[in-house]
Amino acid sequence: MDWGNVTAEDLVEALREVDWSAPPRPVAEFFSSYRTNYFIMIIFILGLGFLRRPLAIVAAALTAVTIAFLNDSFAGTFNEKVTRTVRQFSPHLAAKMRPPLTPVIRGRPSAKRAIYICGRPRWVFVFIFSVVSLILWYVSCGLLTLSWGLAIGLLATILHATLRTPNLKARLNTFREEFRAVWRNYSEL
């Protein structure tokens, strides 16, 4: 769709056609389907809030990595990449970075497998990165800006998740095509 040809009146008319009586999307969908996009949006808004403070940008990056460590697949991938990189320089150190052996009961590994990063439990890395990022937030005097940035980021995310209507773009396309058809008929007269 060529959005350059859509006028404000077209947009207002399409918004009038949207069924606004439908209930907002459930919170469970917000936390399941679009986590990565919303995480990126919140981090981007935080980054914009700290353009004047480079130390605060480092704190925001550390906070993002801390939150990302809570994701199992990110933690596992990070562990593999770091271990492979260290193995190229020091195989002995890479061997020490392996997670401890998990006990096997009756021929099966335990159902709940702990996540290890560089041979340490995940909570150790989350704790260390959280403490360092909090210290950086305090040193950069960015706690107030952080709270405003998080509030705006979370508000934008929740508003987008609840007010997002899947048929708006399709309705805009339909309205545009109908408008063009009517316009062609009038121009032929």
Side-chain angles (χ1 to χ4, degrees), residues 9-128:
E9 291 83 19
D10 296 341
L11 182 62
V12 169
E13 186 63 33
L15 287 173
R16 285 187 188 142
E17 292 180 10
V18 173
D19 182 21
W20 293 104
S21 62
R25 293 179 176 266
V27 177
E29 181 182 321
F30 166 73
F31 287 110
S32 64
S33 303
Y34 303 97
R35 289 186 295 237
T36 306
N37 294 339
Y38 293 137
F39 175 73
I40 292 170
M41 186 168 76
I42 290 171
I43 295 302
F44 179 73
I45 290 172
L46 282 175
L48 287 178
F50 294 109
L51 284 177
R52 297 175 298 140
R53 296 181 177 144
L55 193 59
I57 292 175
V58 173
L62 278 177
T63 303
V65 171
T66 303
I67 294 169
F69 276 150
L70 297 174
N71 184 333
D72 291 349
S73 62
F74 179 83
T77 304
F78 180 84
N79 180 40
E80 289 175 23
K81 299 274 184 185
V82 169
T83 305
R84 283 185 186 160
T85 304
V86 170
R87 189 177 299 135
Q88 292 176 354
F89 300 108
S90 173
H92 181 69
L93 180 60
K96 287 183 177 180
M97 291 173 54
R98 278 192 241 147
L101 296 174
T102 56
V104 176
I105 302 171
R106 295 185 192 163
R108 286 189 206 152
S110 62
K112 186 177 181 189
R113 191 176 61 99
I115 304 293
Y116 285 88
I117 301 172
C118 299
R120 302 282 178 240
R122 175 176 36 188
W123 68 266
V124 172
F125 272 79
V126 170
F127 178 75
I128 290 171

Side-chain angles (χ1 to χ4, degrees), residues 130-143:
S130 298
V131 168
V132 171
S133 63
L134 282 174
I135 291 170
L136 287 176
W137 284 122
Y138 183 76
V139 169
S140 68
C141 300
L143 291 175

